[in-house]
Amino acid sequence: MSRLFRSNEVLVAATIVLLSLVIGLNNPTFFSVGNLFDLLRSSVVMGIFAMGVLIVIVSGGIDVSFTAIAVFALYSTTLILKQSLPDASIGVGFAIAAGIGLGLGLINAFFIAQFRLPTLIVSLGTLSMFHGFLLFAIGNQIIRDVPAAMEAFARSALIQVPLTRGVANLHPAILITLGTIVLVWLLLNYTMLGRGVYALGGAREAAERAGFNVPRIQYFIYGFVGLLSGVAGMTFGSLARQANPQDIVGMELNVIAAVVLGGAQLTGGRGSVLGSVLGVILVVIASNSLVLIGVPTVWQRVVIGLIILIGTGLPALQARRVRQQGYHRVEA
Amino acid sequence: MGQSTKRPVWSLAGDSQPLRLLAITLLIFVGFSLVLGDKFFSIRNLQSMAVQFPEFGILAFAIMITMLTGGIDLSIVGTANLSAIAAALLLTRLSGEGGAGVALELSIPLAMVAALAVASACGLLNGLLVARAGITPILATLGTSSLYTGLSYVITGGPAITTTQLAFIGNGAVAGVPIPVIVFVVLAVVFAVLLNRTAFGFNVYMLGTNLRAALFSGIDDVKVLMRAYWLAGVIAGIAGIIFLARVNSAKPEYGSSFILLTVLIAILGGIRYTGGFGTVAGLVLSVLTIQFLSTGLNMLMLELSGSSAAIFFRQFAWGGLLLAVMVVNDYVERRRQRAI
Amino acid sequence: MAKPIVRLAGIHKSFAGVRALQDVSVTLEEGTVHCLVGENGCGKSTLIKIIAGVYPRDSGTVEIGGTLYERLHPIDSIREGIQVIYQDFSLFPNLTVSENIALNEQLAAGRKFVNWAHVRRVAQDAISQLEVHLPLDARVDEMSVANKQLIAIAKALRQNARLIIMDEPTSALTEREIRTLFTVIGKLQRRGIAFLFVSHKLNEVLEISQSILVMRNGQVVSAGQVSEYDTARLIYEMTGQRIAENAYEFTPDPGQPALLRVRGLAVPGVLQDVSFALQAHEIVGVTGLLGSGRTELALALFGMLPMTAGDIEIDGKPAQIRSVQDAIAHGIGYVPEDRLTEGLFLEQSIGRNVVVRTIETLRGRLGLTDPLQVQRQIRDWVTSLRIKTADPDLPVKTLSGGNQQRVVVAKWLASRPHLMILNGPTVGVDIGSKNELHELIKRLARAGMGLLVISDDIPELLQTCNRILLMRNGTIVEEILPRQTNENALAAKLIED
């Protein structure tokens, strides 16, 4: 069990509890069912994204193009459903979006695995490429009258709790997120592929020596992240009941903040599903609920920035101290 | 290990790069002139291009200096906007309608000083995080980028701050040369001197090549990195003033595509992303190339498709170009390594 | 008669015309501990890489497990049960001990899923074969070097190792850890596993091994049963006949003030109570085994390792050395141990590497760097240190080892230090350049500089130093005068524990 509870996760969990108490004691609506459902709803898309970003960061890379993949998949899928498959179920929609995401993700993988190019710059490039292609070749107008299946999915509810005013709905999309979390947890912890991701991030050369096929692992990573992004995009559109080609892009920082806060390190090899989930919860509370204690929403980005800096600064300072004390250990 | 290679000067890729780039720049310019005729090759268009490129061209120097150290500064656009907002705020409060009525001769210099002060602070914070705290530059500046943009939102509350009092810089010209171009040229000269004729510039190259050897050679890594990130901040501040002067307003989300564009310019200009190599000449040529491409592609797409979506084609093209340049560089580098 | 696992005959290997191995024939038998000894650059690592299939041979035959290999690939070598434990151990720092042990085996078995209970069982089994205790669930980066090594051995065992090759396995271990390692090796050896040790510590070599191979200049110069050898013979075989150099004679004058005086210097865990003095014109050798604190002493004097106790005097005045900049301000220069990563900017030009220390001072009008002065300084140093290059604008990585080292020395000389610390000044340098570097060191001392030469090259110490300080366990244990000792006596002292 100790594998699950490393100190970082405990720290983030404690922060969540503390923050919740501070907000809740100042404004009891925080603990209302309605607010909790809202928070969960806000975590749905970010939770899926976070699982993808986690895998990339554990492998020692960084991906900023996943938002473009998501909006690309969402918009194209919506168009396809509207124009060719008006009667298709939402499942078909998700399958198409996942397929598109997978394809785009493999483009990332191609540049990263084939040419060993730096992941940040590659994904900066594909971010612009994918989004630009969407806007210029596929469409740049918001689609408001989404296909019936999306409309119906948007209105569905998993749990309904009657409130004094109206009802609080828990959207079934939360199941997609939970499913993704469980899947990625199993993948990272119980498959050789997942262990390969950790091995690659921990010591690339040793991974090669051990017999891991590193390019193949990278194809998997970026392809899978693309697939998840497609699903996340579709989920986003279903919740929003529209496909806006300018949506989602720009969210990448929040997701990266959540994952880094959850203990994943950009140097690779470190990071856990539990940590990332906690990171997402903290970021969602911080960006959605600070307003409940009178912090204006304009502070959101400042808070995200500080979260990244604190989340990376503390481990970096710690590492630096260890390095200084142990300099002699670096002996040739 | 240690066998000497008596092969004579294999074409120094680092040095031949500007020449190769010059050829590409000219080729693109001539190409568009031939295809688009006097729509492209005209005084009017040249003038219009001249007022466009300094914005991102100046920012590219900020990416360059940090990339030479082996890092990157993803917060430059955030810094530029925050600085522009500081300047705009001061201008409107001091000399705007219903302001304190301070004379423009005083308020304009004050506004510029304020913008540069804010930019310095932003750059120094980046420097502290990278050099002192030891945070990976990507994450440190991603974090501060959010922080600076966030502060812009906090200050403005969201909408743009409008002021036309700097328009004379944005639209003005000295002897027919637009002022932003003059700023760009001056910066290029200052950078060339800084990188080639000062110990700081020398140390930037060395540190970017091998941090460990730099430490063992007595180069003060903290000092060099602090200065590099501070400088990147100040340059972003100058770019911010140009933003404000050109569009007469300052807002938190202006120029969000400039990060990609400046990274593209740096890579195309032969700045090595792992640090240590790259020239001002390469960067300047790269800026011009991108401007020619930008205008040319825009005209071409408008002519071909006639739709407003043509502007998005550039976004696609920049991403594709960045990847293409990296793949080509990678190929050239691998061949060169084999040649040694 | 034990069954041979590896049989090499008449192996030749050259790199770009430089002969690394010449007519090497070696037989390694099961259940035997073989030791490979020889000085730096004698061809030991090339030989290992040929056995591991990393390098192809130029000529000769390779027979492993009774099979003759036309072209031996790393995977063939692993399949035949040959496991090389490199100095970095090839472990994953971010994974647990048990996973590190079991991972390769799981991967080789083509498993798709991880059964953690199985992983633990496998790891537990491997560890219990070694009869040691290791925390299975701890992360490897929390383990000591000795434990990492045991993990690497356990991992090798799980891959059906028949021959385990270890490079300097005891260099970073404490005495107790070495005992544990030897016990483990003894157990495995009785089960028929062979070992090939590469080591400098001759008394350990004599203790653990049954069979000895001595290499010199790419050849096996001596091989046989351990009973045929003693320390003296090993040293003789390793060093052979040397080019005679004139020793450096200088007697410090007690009346003169010391250039450097160190009293009670301490760095927690690595150095304790180090005291010595150095006068101008002196070349003082510092020797000791890896881990004795010799490099740490240099790093502490150069401001890279913060000292917690002791004081330093330079030219009779107390000096605070808290950073490299402080050290440089006091006129100290340091030629580091690892030329390639610490000494040089490999991809930058020779010229830039020469002026990196002095660029600040080469200024002309407006305080800007003066290209003419820079060029002149580069030319002067390239000429005076006889750096062989067609063009100082070429990257420094195009130079040979000896010339590269001259560039590092030039970099420091250009800034006119009073005291130079040279760590392993001639490692990986050919014999001709070596002598020239030694002459240079002596010339500098005659001109008034004080030099501290850190080395485990015994002839080098005897021929260049006027005094030698012997370090052990982080402190100076003895001062030796070269004229009162000889190679064998000094070698014996060096490896004494």
Side-chain angles (χ1 to χ4, degrees), chain C residues 108-152:
Chain C
R111 283 177 186 273
K112 294 270 176 273
F113 298 98
V114 186
N115 176 345
W116 287 103
H118 179 71
V119 166
R120 272 186 74 96
R121 234 179 1 255
V122 164
Q124 187 60 62
D125 173 60
I127 289 173
S128 56
Q129 283 186 43
L130 301 184
E131 295 175 41
V132 292
H133 289 284
L134 287 172
L136 286 177
D137 294 324
R139 269 203 331 245
V140 160
D141 60 359
E142 293 161 356
M143 295 285 106
S144 67
V145 178
N147 281 345
K148 283 184 189 160
Q149 191 172 49
L150 292 173
I151 296 164

Side-chain angles (χ1 to χ4, degrees), chain A residues 65 69 72-73 95-111 126 129-130 219-220 222-230:
Chain A
S65 72
I69 295 181
F72 191 113
I96 296 172
I100 293 172
L102 173 66
L104 297 178
L106 288 176
I107 295 179
N108 274 333
F110 173 73
F111 287 106
T126 53
M129 225 170 87
F130 298 157
Y219 268 104
F220 166 77
Y222 293 94
F224 184 66
V225 169
L227 184 146
L228 284 184
S229 305

